[in-house]
Amino acid sequence: MTGKKIEPALLVLADGEVFEGEAFGATAPNGCTTGEVVFNTALTGYQEIITDPSYAGQIITFTYPHIGNYGVADFDNEATRPFTRGVIIRDLARRRSNWRAEADLDAFLAAKQVPGIAGIDTRRLTRHLRDAGAMPGAFGTAAESDLRTAARNEPGTSGQNLTELVTTKNPYVVDFTGVATPKRVVAYDFGIKTTILRHLSGIATVEVVPAQTPAAEVLARNPDGVFLSNGPGDPAAVVGAPSIIEGLLGQVPIFGICLGHQLLSTALGATTYKLPFGHHGGNHPVCRLETGTVEITSQNHNYAVDDGSLTKDVEVTHRNLNDGVVEGIRCAKEAAFSVQYHPEAGPGPHDAAYLFTMFSELMDDFQKGRR
Amino acid sequence: MPKRTDIQSILLIGSGPIVIGQACEFDYSGTQACRVLRQEGYRVILANSNPATIMTDPDFADATYVEPLDVEVITRIIEKERPDALLPTLGGQTALNLAMTLSETGVLERYGVELIGADAEAIATAEDRELFKRAMAEIGLATPISATAHSLEEAMNVVGSIGLPVVIRPAYILGGRGTGIAATMEEFETKAAYGLDASPISEILIEQSIAGWKEYELEVMRDRADNCVIICSIENFDPMGVHTGDSITVAPAQTLSDFEYQQMRDAAFAVIRRVGVETGGSNVQFAVNPENGDMVVIEMNPRVSRSSALASKATGFPIAKIAAKLAVGYTLDEIPNDITKKTPASFEPTIDYVVTKIPRWAFEKFPGTSGVLGTQMQSVGEVMSIGRTFCESLQKGLRSLEQGRFGLNCDPAEALLAEIPDDELLQLITKGTPERIFQLGECLRRHIPLETIYEHSRVDLWFLDQMMAIIEEREVLAETGFADLDRAGWRRAKRLGFSDAQLAYLWNVEMPKVRQRRLELGLRPTYKTVDTCAAEFEASTPYHYSTWEDEDEVRPSDAPKVVILGSGPNRIGQGIEFDYCCVHASFALRDAGFETIMVNCNPETVSTDYDTSDRLYFEPLTEEDVLNIIDAENPVGIVVSLGGQTPLKLSGSLPPALVAGTSSDSIDSAEDRERWNALCARLEIPQPAGGTAADFATAAEITSRVGYPVLVRPSYVLGGRAMEIVYDDEGLERAMAELAGFGSLGKEGGLSAERPVLVDRFLEDATEVDVDSIRDHTGDFIIGGIMEHVEEAGVHSGDSACVIPPYSLSDETIQVLTDYSRRIADELGVVGLLNVQYAVKSGQVFVIEANPRASRTVPFVAKATGVPLAKVAARVMMGASLAQLRDEGLLTNPVQGDHVAVKEAVLPFSRFPEADALLGPEMRSTGEVMGIDLTFGLAFAKSQLAAGTKLPSEGTVFLSLADRDKEVGVKAAEKFRQLGFTIAATSGTAALLRQRNIEVETVVAKIGEPDGQDAVDLIESGDVVLVVNSPRGRGPRADGAHIRAAAGRHNIPLLTTAAAAFAAVGGMADRAEHSLEVRPLQQYHQGVKAGSQ
Ligand SMILES: Nc1ncnc2c1ncn2[C@@H]1O[C@H](COP(=O)(O)OP(=O)(O)O)[C@@H](O)[C@H]1O
Ligand SMILES: Nc1ncnc2c1ncn2[C@@H]1O[C@H](COP(=O)(O)OP(=O)(O)O)[C@@H](O)[C@H]1O
Ligand SMILES: [Mg+2]
Ligand SMILES: [Mg+2]
């Protein structure tokens, strides 16, 4: 960081592990930031990851050492502001270089109130989280003892309803950008990503509604389909959502992504559980069971749907080839389906974009069925 | 999909000799393929003419044909073996082209051989630039605009519409000869004319030049179920215009946003699908306009490539191995990821470090070459380095090159740049050259604005700024000083890749002091693991690199360990042969119960395959890096004598007790001229008379004593660097002056007081002999092989053809050679391999030099005799006796057969048309081939064919011989006539031949003389099928140069020694009466008797 003076900082995990680094980005109030520390293995897309509301309550560790190389561009924001608690990296670019760039990551984080710590042996940290599991932590320029206490008092994400923090206060409309005749989709915002809206608006006029919007209100808008968005934290803590979804089942085609997938599954009677350190990255192989083909997917979740808890009329459509985790389900009789990973990418591979087309087709078939 | 059961046997074609653009990477991919295909239960038939490869080891295939990679030969192999399938995608361009011809000529169809991996249509679509561009247009991907021309007029029109600068590419030219960028109309006219002339169908492709754009590569894999994955993205440091093979490249891509990267990824999949590569790995090259992100496709290689070898080493994902499995029907999700074991191969590796590849060139060996990098690859080798950051990996890479650089700066060589004025420096960086990286460093050091540097070099600002971090750190370090630098400061410097050597230079304190201080501060490197997944899953592969972090992941076991030091980057004089030796040592010592630890920095090699040794450290071969590994592992032995000069040079700085086999002191007494002379004197073994001189006067004094001609050569050089044969005083003066020049520039082979030159009587018309032998600690001794050279002494051993068994030496001479070798081995106290070079002149044996280490010829000898020399040597060095190894069955007797094996060198002259295609005491070959058959003639003919010289069977032979060659020349000419060739000759040669009543049809005029057709005219006329021009000695050198150049331009077989011509005509005679026979090594190693089949 040329010209800028180096401020030594520490990262302390709840279990007492300490890491030395330097502060960058925003300066945290009294030099201490806390959150659940997770790692993401993507090689590109730091800006999309940092601005993904699903990271609310979490501190993101990037396993790739060089972060900030291509700066930041407004187009790559996944939300109007980041909700992540902080960013841990090995090396911050001193200078950006890319024709799309509008600002430096450092300045961006400072402006958006996101503290960061650089110079960390992120591989040591990742190996630790892999073995001990994602856990609360604190970092900053504060004294080690203060950071230690802060880390211990940090609750983490379990049992927290973080969607309230990120969902829109008021409904709003995203205009149709496609070519065919637009459908009308109501999208529940549990922390929805801009890239998802970009995909949806390609097939429909999208009415984004707050997380708590009652089913009746949504049905009153009589949409062609309802979309359940991604979002942060523990699905079990998003009280109310499953019952709302139950009220929609069968009335209208439903498509869910990530948290939306977990909530749909819950509404269909399944239960969820927490993974040791989650899936966060852009290289997870998922098998699409009906074709047997493999798609490389963008993933970001700490919780997953429990296989055993799925009822008989819910079928598993996608599985993670690394650890067998359920990555997608379908309930034909309720015209609902969902995936655990991120077909919209942003960041990540485009392999699964076909799912948005499937949603569109499901809405068509449902219409025909009605007539 | 499960593996295919409808095929049982698979023919694999290797890439043949090491040439520029095709190096060890194909031994690596081929070896992997052989292994997995056999594990899968297929019968593997291998064809490769390169004896130095590991894949041609009889153990790696069921039938190993070390035969010329020629359509006729492969057809014979197919007739004999009747394979079900041919896998052409692992042997580089050579295998691919052969497969295409075999398919076009209907051979594959005739024998029902299926092409697996990629079919003919796919190969054609990717290889034919026209077809490829059309295919890309179809799928909506842009390529640089272009058009073809068949005449200069047409070319002019085309360039008019496209506009300069343009890239010119002659059609159907091997190795892209004659391709290049033209920026001015003059350049265009010359290059276009040359291209039209060079192209057999006189066609050139003229393409808009986008030099200066950013260049990227993606390594793609695809399986039968159409699953596609990207293994690695690579960003070139050098912009478009410098061949990727000559560019510094970095993985992963550094300056692409996800938005752009995913577009490129989609495009790469579209390309492999459209081209139709069904299964396996491909490499797609892209260019991106840094101003606006416009992306174009440059080309696609429908096979594993040098880049895929790099990608495999960079990520830990074994592309060739997986490609072989995909070719026999598996899908990616059915193949486990070797490294994690738990997860499948159907994923995209992610890494948590930065990989840098830096090429190495050999321009100094080819006078006349510009040394400027362009669209044709010219490098002879490369290094790869791994660091947690770009700065660290760049500096590690630069010191891995072994070219006297300690890093980006802080070494003696940086002084050279300091003298250059700014404006000149800025001009220099506009061209890609081996020096550019350091020139950029110098610009930064002068604080020339990054934008200015970018404008001139087009090297991305991110890279430049990273280099600036190194420069700024250097300034801090210089300010702070050795005494005052605190631990944090040291750590920062180390994390930016600064070596102890750089710090020692910067602070001007001795290395050991720097190291000591560092250790006092508790600063040791940490070793991390290459695991394909950035630590998301536990890795079970022991593939490590050093960096300066908190946590060290290496858990040394307490088994007895042996460290094997590899040979570093390929260079002329030190190549794949040494990798072969190191790999064999690793295998042998592992079998003997040692834990083997490989250290090397060459990404092309088998030695840097993570499953070759028990542990792999991908590290520079420098004192600091090696000592650190020894500290971390504390081995019982270190093998320094199998990796060529590189590890040998280090032996002095290693703990003597740990150096396995021959002691570093013995090594020194062979290397050090004075000690060596003394030793020969003691043993009463004759050496060519001579002495050492630091100036002309002394040199002249020596020559007055020993007489001309003399061989002048610098001490401490490899491959006969800067050696010269001198015939008179003025020649001597010139040579000494030149070397003195080098000295003042600190160049390799430079002359100085402490580095005098050796002046030896040059033995004319002497037969050179190489003897490889092994001695154990008990004093027991075996001869590995005695190789008689075809070309006379004076042609570097590495460049001359050599033969096992000797074909003209008397039994007495062989006795003497054996006896001398044994005595030298005893006197030196050799434990392990010893290579001695002799010159035999009229029955008397002179010793030229002794190398108490593995020599270039070890693999060749092993394949000719069936004795695994390198394995035996490795065991001997670790304490085994030859007797013991005989009992174990590892050491066997040489096979008793009637076969003759000929090793022929392969020279890169076609890549350097400006350089004279002459053989001399300076080695210039990049690779070698072996011809093996039942007579010397047949074996020699095969070796020529394998080396690319198809000996003709009829037509006109053109002879132009130096006086001292004329006797041999006459014998050759006689035979040519007997075989029905007509003869053309230069006046002198013609006169002699006629005087011996040998009919000469045409006598050509001296070049330049107005009257009549001269040699060049004759060659250009296309009537000549073979040119024999032996220029050494005094005599018409200039004319010779023109003659050789003309032959090179028109791809007419050229022999530059009478000896070779005589051997060749013998081969042609034998070929005329015998039909072509091919046999696998396994059969030769059973002992094949003449007359039997
Ligand atoms: N249109 C072009 N303008 C400028 N440089 C080019 C162009 N096309 C290729 N090059 C340069 O030439 C090199 C070799 O071209 P390529 O098509 O890859 O041939 P090869 O088969 O020898 O790899 C590339 O790596 C690139 O740097
Ligand atoms: N006195 C000599 N007379 C004739 N040829 C020589 C003599 N000394 C060396 N040579 C030739 O020069 C070549 C290189 O010399 P050598 O000592 O082997 O150098 P290097 O160590 O580079 O192999 C030898 O292979 C041989 O052909
Ligand atoms: Mg290329
Ligand atoms: Mg030699």
Side-chain angles (χ1 to χ4, degrees), chain A residues 278-291:
Chain A
H279 297 165
H280 309 275
N283 69 336
H284 292 77
V286 164
C287 181
R288 181 181 175 186
L289 300 174
E290 66 184 352
T291 58

mmCIF file with all atom_site columns, all heavy atoms in Angstrom, chain A residues 278-291:
data_model
loop_
_atom_site.group_PDB
_atom_site.id
_atom_site.type_symbol
_atom_site.label_atom_id
_atom_site.label_alt_id
_atom_site.label_comp_id
_atom_site.label_asym_id
_atom_site.label_entity_id
_atom_site.label_seq_id
_atom_site.pdbx_PDB_ins_code
_atom_site.Cartn_x
_atom_site.Cartn_y
_atom_site.Cartn_z
_atom_site.occupancy
_atom_site.B_iso_or_equiv
_atom_site.pdbx_formal_charge
_atom_site.auth_seq_id
_atom_site.auth_comp_id
_atom_site.auth_asym_id
_atom_site.auth_atom_id
_atom_site.pdbx_PDB_model_num
ATOM 1   N N   . GLY A 1 278 ? -19.160 -25.267 5.443   1.00 0.00 ? 278 GLY A N   1
ATOM 2   C CA  . GLY A 1 278 ? -19.952 -24.781 4.323   1.00 0.00 ? 278 GLY A CA  1
ATOM 3   C C   . GLY A 1 278 ? -19.290 -24.961 2.969   1.00 0.00 ? 278 GLY A C   1
ATOM 4   O O   . GLY A 1 278 ? -18.207 -25.532 2.853   1.00 0.00 ? 278 GLY A O   1
ATOM 5   N N   . HIS A 1 279 ? -19.984 -24.498 1.971   1.00 0.00 ? 279 HIS A N   1
ATOM 6   C CA  . HIS A 1 279 ? -19.468 -24.468 0.599   1.00 0.00 ? 279 HIS A CA  1
ATOM 7   C C   . HIS A 1 279 ? -19.396 -23.019 0.173   1.00 0.00 ? 279 HIS A C   1
ATOM 8   O O   . HIS A 1 279 ? -20.435 -22.371 0.052   1.00 0.00 ? 279 HIS A O   1
ATOM 9   C CB  . HIS A 1 279 ? -20.407 -25.200 -0.364  1.00 0.00 ? 279 HIS A CB  1
ATOM 10  C CG  . HIS A 1 279 ? -20.580 -26.667 -0.100  1.00 0.00 ? 279 HIS A CG  1
ATOM 11  N ND1 . HIS A 1 279 ? -21.596 -27.396 -0.676  1.00 0.00 ? 279 HIS A ND1 1
ATOM 12  C CD2 . HIS A 1 279 ? -19.884 -27.537 0.653   1.00 0.00 ? 279 HIS A CD2 1
ATOM 13  C CE1 . HIS A 1 279 ? -21.518 -28.662 -0.292  1.00 0.00 ? 279 HIS A CE1 1
ATOM 14  N NE2 . HIS A 1 279 ? -20.495 -28.775 0.538   1.00 0.00 ? 279 HIS A NE2 1
ATOM 15  N N   . HIS A 1 280 ? -18.199 -22.528 -0.046  1.00 0.00 ? 280 HIS A N   1
ATOM 16  C CA  . HIS A 1 280 ? -18.071 -21.152 -0.540  1.00 0.00 ? 280 HIS A CA  1
ATOM 17  C C   . HIS A 1 280 ? -17.006 -21.128 -1.621  1.00 0.00 ? 280 HIS A C   1
ATOM 18  O O   . HIS A 1 280 ? -15.824 -21.274 -1.320  1.00 0.00 ? 280 HIS A O   1
ATOM 19  C CB  . HIS A 1 280 ? -17.650 -20.200 0.575   1.00 0.00 ? 280 HIS A CB  1
ATOM 20  C CG  . HIS A 1 280 ? -18.493 -20.302 1.805   1.00 0.00 ? 280 HIS A CG  1
ATOM 21  N ND1 . HIS A 1 280 ? -19.671 -19.617 1.950   1.00 0.00 ? 280 HIS A ND1 1
ATOM 22  C CD2 . HIS A 1 280 ? -18.327 -21.036 2.937   1.00 0.00 ? 280 HIS A CD2 1
ATOM 23  C CE1 . HIS A 1 280 ? -20.194 -19.905 3.134   1.00 0.00 ? 280 HIS A CE1 1
ATOM 24  N NE2 . HIS A 1 280 ? -19.405 -20.773 3.748   1.00 0.00 ? 280 HIS A NE2 1
ATOM 25  N N   . GLY A 1 281 ? -17.434 -21.025 -2.885  1.00 0.00 ? 281 GLY A N   1
ATOM 26  C CA  . GLY A 1 281 ? -16.457 -20.996 -3.960  1.00 0.00 ? 281 GLY A CA  1
ATOM 27  C C   . GLY A 1 281 ? -17.126 -21.083 -5.315  1.00 0.00 ? 281 GLY A C   1
ATOM 28  O O   . GLY A 1 281 ? -18.355 -21.025 -5.412  1.00 0.00 ? 281 GLY A O   1
ATOM 29  N N   . GLY A 1 282 ? -16.307 -21.242 -6.340  1.00 0.00 ? 282 GLY A N   1
ATOM 30  C CA  . GLY A 1 282 ? -16.829 -21.263 -7.700  1.00 0.00 ? 282 GLY A CA  1
ATOM 31  C C   . GLY A 1 282 ? -16.453 -22.506 -8.470  1.00 0.00 ? 282 GLY A C   1
ATOM 32  O O   . GLY A 1 282 ? -16.462 -22.498 -9.704  1.00 0.00 ? 282 GLY A O   1
ATOM 33  N N   . ASN A 1 283 ? -16.111 -23.586 -7.775  1.00 0.00 ? 283 ASN A N   1
ATOM 34  C CA  . ASN A 1 283 ? -15.618 -24.769 -8.504  1.00 0.00 ? 283 ASN A CA  1
ATOM 35  C C   . ASN A 1 283 ? -16.254 -26.077 -8.027  1.00 0.00 ? 283 ASN A C   1
ATOM 36  O O   . ASN A 1 283 ? -15.675 -27.135 -8.205  1.00 0.00 ? 283 ASN A O   1
ATOM 37  C CB  . ASN A 1 283 ? -14.097 -24.865 -8.341  1.00 0.00 ? 283 ASN A CB  1
ATOM 38  C CG  . ASN A 1 283 ? -13.693 -25.219 -6.919  1.00 0.00 ? 283 ASN A CG  1
ATOM 39  O OD1 . ASN A 1 283 ? -14.440 -24.977 -5.972  1.00 0.00 ? 283 ASN A OD1 1
ATOM 40  N ND2 . ASN A 1 283 ? -12.530 -25.802 -6.774  1.00 0.00 ? 283 ASN A ND2 1
ATOM 41  N N   . HIS A 1 284 ? -17.422 -25.986 -7.393  1.00 0.00 ? 284 HIS A N   1
ATOM 42  C CA  . HIS A 1 284 ? -18.030 -27.204 -6.846  1.00 0.00 ? 284 HIS A CA  1
ATOM 43  C C   . HIS A 1 284 ? -18.764 -27.995 -7.924  1.00 0.00 ? 284 HIS A C   1
ATOM 44  O O   . HIS A 1 284 ? -19.661 -27.464 -8.559  1.00 0.00 ? 284 HIS A O   1
ATOM 45  C CB  . HIS A 1 284 ? -18.972 -26.869 -5.695  1.00 0.00 ? 284 HIS A CB  1
ATOM 46  C CG  . HIS A 1 284 ? -18.254 -26.363 -4.490  1.00 0.00 ? 284 HIS A CG  1
ATOM 47  N ND1 . HIS A 1 284 ? -17.771 -25.081 -4.415  1.00 0.00 ? 284 HIS A ND1 1
ATOM 48  C CD2 . HIS A 1 284 ? -17.908 -26.976 -3.339  1.00 0.00 ? 284 HIS A CD2 1
ATOM 49  C CE1 . HIS A 1 284 ? -17.173 -24.914 -3.248  1.00 0.00 ? 284 HIS A CE1 1
ATOM 50  N NE2 . HIS A 1 284 ? -17.228 -26.052 -2.573  1.00 0.00 ? 284 HIS A NE2 1
ATOM 51  N N   . PRO A 1 285 ? -18.389 -29.266 -8.113  1.00 0.00 ? 285 PRO A N   1
ATOM 52  C CA  . PRO A 1 285 ? -19.059 -30.095 -9.113  1.00 0.00 ? 285 PRO A CA  1
ATOM 53  C C   . PRO A 1 285 ? -20.406 -30.593 -8.597  1.00 0.00 ? 285 PRO A C   1
ATOM 54  O O   . PRO A 1 285 ? -20.496 -31.118 -7.493  1.00 0.00 ? 285 PRO A O   1
ATOM 55  C CB  . PRO A 1 285 ? -18.093 -31.267 -9.302  1.00 0.00 ? 285 PRO A CB  1
ATOM 56  C CG  . PRO A 1 285 ? -17.370 -31.381 -8.003  1.00 0.00 ? 285 PRO A CG  1
ATOM 57  C CD  . PRO A 1 285 ? -17.306 -30.000 -7.419  1.00 0.00 ? 285 PRO A CD  1
ATOM 58  N N   . VAL A 1 286 ? -21.426 -30.372 -9.400  1.00 0.00 ? 286 VAL A N   1
ATOM 59  C CA  . VAL A 1 286 ? -22.765 -30.829 -9.043  1.00 0.00 ? 286 VAL A CA  1
ATOM 60  C C   . VAL A 1 286 ? -23.268 -31.731 -10.147 1.00 0.00 ? 286 VAL A C   1
ATOM 61  O O   . VAL A 1 286 ? -23.122 -31.413 -11.327 1.00 0.00 ? 286 VAL A O   1
ATOM 62  C CB  . VAL A 1 286 ? -23.715 -29.627 -8.857  1.00 0.00 ? 286 VAL A CB  1
ATOM 63  C CG1 . VAL A 1 286 ? -25.171 -30.081 -8.875  1.00 0.00 ? 286 VAL A CG1 1
ATOM 64  C CG2 . VAL A 1 286 ? -23.392 -28.895 -7.572  1.00 0.00 ? 286 VAL A CG2 1
ATOM 65  N N   . CYS A 1 287 ? -23.840 -32.869 -9.781  1.00 0.00 ? 287 CYS A N   1
ATOM 66  C CA  . CYS A 1 287 ? -24.388 -33.770 -10.789 1.00 0.00 ? 287 CYS A CA  1
ATOM 67  C C   . CYS A 1 287 ? -25.878 -33.495 -10.967 1.00 0.00 ? 287 CYS A C   1
ATOM 68  O O   . CYS A 1 287 ? -26.639 -33.459 -10.000 1.00 0.00 ? 287 CYS A O   1
ATOM 69  C CB  . CYS A 1 287 ? -24.185 -35.226 -10.391 1.00 0.00 ? 287 CYS A CB  1
ATOM 70  S SG  . CYS A 1 287 ? -24.831 -36.355 -11.651 1.00 0.00 ? 287 CYS A SG  1
ATOM 71  N N   . ARG A 1 288 ? -26.269 -33.250 -12.223 1.00 0.00 ? 288 ARG A N   1
ATOM 72  C CA  . ARG A 1 288 ? -27.686 -33.101 -12.534 1.00 0.00 ? 288 ARG A CA  1
ATOM 73  C C   . ARG A 1 288 ? -28.203 -34.512 -12.774 1.00 0.00 ? 288 ARG A C   1
ATOM 74  O O   . ARG A 1 288 ? -27.929 -35.117 -13.817 1.00 0.00 ? 288 ARG A O   1
ATOM 75  C CB  . ARG A 1 288 ? -27.826 -32.232 -13.784 1.00 0.00 ? 288 ARG A CB  1
ATOM 76  C CG  . ARG A 1 288 ? -29.243 -31.972 -14.203 1.00 0.00 ? 288 ARG A CG  1
ATOM 77  C CD  . ARG A 1 288 ? -29.247 -31.118 -15.455 1.00 0.00 ? 288 ARG A CD  1
ATOM 78  N NE  . ARG A 1 288 ? -30.593 -30.938 -15.959 1.00 0.00 ? 288 ARG A NE  1
ATOM 79  C CZ  . ARG A 1 288 ? -30.876 -30.334 -17.109 1.00 0.00 ? 288 ARG A CZ  1
ATOM 80  N NH1 . ARG A 1 288 ? -29.875 -29.858 -17.848 1.00 0.00 ? 288 ARG A NH1 1
ATOM 81  N NH2 . ARG A 1 288 ? -32.116 -30.196 -17.518 1.00 0.00 ? 288 ARG A NH2 1
ATOM 82  N N   . LEU A 1 289 ? -28.926 -35.048 -11.816 1.00 0.00 ? 289 LEU A N   1
ATOM 83  C CA  . LEU A 1 289 ? -29.209 -36.479 -11.787 1.00 0.00 ? 289 LEU A CA  1
ATOM 84  C C   . LEU A 1 289 ? -29.959 -36.973 -13.020 1.00 0.00 ? 289 LEU A C   1
ATOM 85  O O   . LEU A 1 289 ? -29.683 -38.059 -13.518 1.00 0.00 ? 289 LEU A O   1
ATOM 86  C CB  . LEU A 1 289 ? -29.957 -36.825 -10.501 1.00 0.00 ? 289 LEU A CB  1
ATOM 87  C CG  . LEU A 1 289 ? -29.167 -36.496 -9.221  1.00 0.00 ? 289 LEU A CG  1
ATOM 88  C CD1 . LEU A 1 289 ? -30.011 -36.711 -7.983  1.00 0.00 ? 289 LEU A CD1 1
ATOM 89  C CD2 . LEU A 1 289 ? -27.887 -37.326 -9.140  1.00 0.00 ? 289 LEU A CD2 1
ATOM 90  N N   . GLU A 1 290 ? -30.898 -36.176 -13.562 1.00 0.00 ? 290 GLU A N   1
ATOM 91  C CA  . GLU A 1 290 ? -31.701 -36.702 -14.679 1.00 0.00 ? 290 GLU A CA  1
ATOM 92  C C   . GLU A 1 290 ? -30.878 -36.904 -15.948 1.00 0.00 ? 290 GLU A C   1
ATOM 93  O O   . GLU A 1 290 ? -31.199 -37.754 -16.769 1.00 0.00 ? 290 GLU A O   1
ATOM 94  C CB  . GLU A 1 290 ? -32.927 -35.844 -14.944 1.00 0.00 ? 290 GLU A CB  1
ATOM 95  C CG  . GLU A 1 290 ? -32.616 -34.443 -15.432 1.00 0.00 ? 290 GLU A CG  1
ATOM 96  C CD  . GLU A 1 290 ? -33.901 -33.613 -15.577 1.00 0.00 ? 290 GLU A CD  1
ATOM 97  O OE1 . GLU A 1 290 ? -35.002 -34.185 -15.447 1.00 0.00 ? 290 GLU A OE1 1
ATOM 98  O OE2 . GLU A 1 290 ? -33.779 -32.394 -15.825 1.00 0.00 ? 290 GLU A OE2 1
ATOM 99  N N   . THR A 1 291 ? -29.779 -36.144 -16.107 1.00 0.00 ? 291 THR A N   1
ATOM 100 C CA  . THR A 1 291 ? -28.943 -36.331 -17.308 1.00 0.00 ? 291 THR A CA  1
ATOM 101 C C   . THR A 1 291 ? -27.613 -36.998 -16.954 1.00 0.00 ? 291 THR A C   1
ATOM 102 O O   . THR A 1 291 ? -26.877 -37.433 -17.832 1.00 0.00 ? 291 THR A O   1
ATOM 103 C CB  . THR A 1 291 ? -28.601 -34.966 -17.953 1.00 0.00 ? 291 THR A CB  1
ATOM 104 O OG1 . THR A 1 291 ? -27.938 -34.177 -16.962 1.00 0.00 ? 291 THR A OG1 1
ATOM 105 C CG2 . THR A 1 291 ? -29.860 -34.261 -18.423 1.00 0.00 ? 291 THR A CG2 1
#
